[in-house]
Amino acid sequence: MLSIAAVVAVAGILFASTYSQTQMTATRLSVPSQDSDLNQQIRDMGGLQVQMPTAFAQVPLDQVDSMVAQGRHVVDLKLTAQSVDLPIMGGGTYHAMTFNGQVPAPTLRVTQGDIIRMTLTVPTTEATPHGNDMHASQISAGNFGAVKPGETKTYAYIAEVPGQFKYHCSGINVAAMDQHVLSGMYGLTIVDPLNGYTPFASPKTSAQNGQVVVNYQRYEPDAKEFVLEYNQLYLNADGSYDQTAMFLHNTTQTVVNGFAFGYVPNADINKLIKGDPTKNIFVAQPWNDASLKQYQSHPLFVDTGVHYRIFVENQGNMPVFFHIVGEILDRVTQGNRVQAQGTETWNIGGSQGATVDIVFDNPGVYVAVNHDYAAIFSGAATVFVAGDPFNLGYHPGDMPNPSDAVPPLGKNSIPQKLVVHCLCTDDRAAEIAKEIGG
Ligand SMILES: [Cu+2]
């Protein structure tokens, strides 16, 4: 069993000894001026102008009902663009662009073959149009185009391909798309395979009659689930978007589900373990206090010996080297095809996801990271507490987990207890509290 000392040791390995303060402050590295003619041209374009082909897979909206009558299910995703200021690590706020007042946007979960009917509303209060490019579709975002302030637009398509797919604002017909996505307009669609997920087997060894033999431990498809969406913030000191920093990949903070260090212990857990809320058990606890409400950090509590399925999505424009310190990823699936079994780290490119199956074998504290040191130190560390390593007497399955780290239930989901946690407005937090019955 690992002790508090082990947690500190893990933290020490991760964070060296540089950070001893209880609150990390946001830092921004200096950005040299890059105002060359070429850069200016690219900026004026708003990034890229992509010529989209004609839509080929859209379901005409007036045919949805007859398709439902034939046995299809339709799932509605209703999004409202909302620009709001949201908190960042170290205090202060940034100018977030959101769908429905939350970052990331709501996770949509459907089954392969379902019709997804997406409606985007852009209120008159928005300063710019917005769009939505859903990677689960095979519809040109260019044909959907920009939805102007005061307008609502809908499209529908069949989720033909199982897997996990991002969706994101497409800006103003692709212009300023980088600003809108990196400021928060991104979400995830999980398309469960029609026949459900598959069991897997993890190798174990034993010694029998003087020889070492391999025995496989089988795990059923039913699993407890998490969703971890990685992204970066590129910010000016006033919280506005810094495109120059983005072009230089000069990250201000690395976020998981919108937060830098959002899933780490907090003051309540300090008190439980050390008897003192001010004695941090993890090196970086920037969202410590209960007064932070939906923003208070919360680690992920997991059972040992239980199948966990983690949907990892890279929403940003830097690679994610997904690794869990102290564990081996039992299986990695992409596009419903197994890519690896028993791998230490999986590299996920920009706008790419991976479904990671894992069983935590022993009680302890495990930290999921983007194993790029710049990302770890700027926010990409997520604490899993497996079993009851501190001997507090709880059953880990009874501990609540942050609502934004758990996707809606799907084909083979085991329900978990939830507590409201989100980078979202107070209004949205109240709605989520109702949704989860909290
Ligand atoms: Cu937008």
Side-chain angles (χ1 to χ4, degrees), residues 81-83 97-99 120 122 126 128-132 147 168-172 175-177 179-181 185:
Q82 192 182 354
S83 297
M97 291 179 160
T98 79
F99 290 124
L120 173 60
V122 179
E126 283 298 293
T128 70
H130 298 280
N132 187 9
V147 182
H168 63 94
C169 181
S170 43
I172 308 147
M177 181 168 65
Q179 177 182 8
H180 290 224
V181 177
M185 295 188 111

Side-chain angles (χ1 to χ4, degrees), residues 31-35 43 241-250:
V31 179
S33 174
Q34 290 283 306
D35 286 327
R43 268 179 227 189
Y241 176 65
D242 183 346
Q243 196 185 46
T244 301
M246 183 280 293
F247 275 123
L248 294 171
H249 290 113
N250 198 348

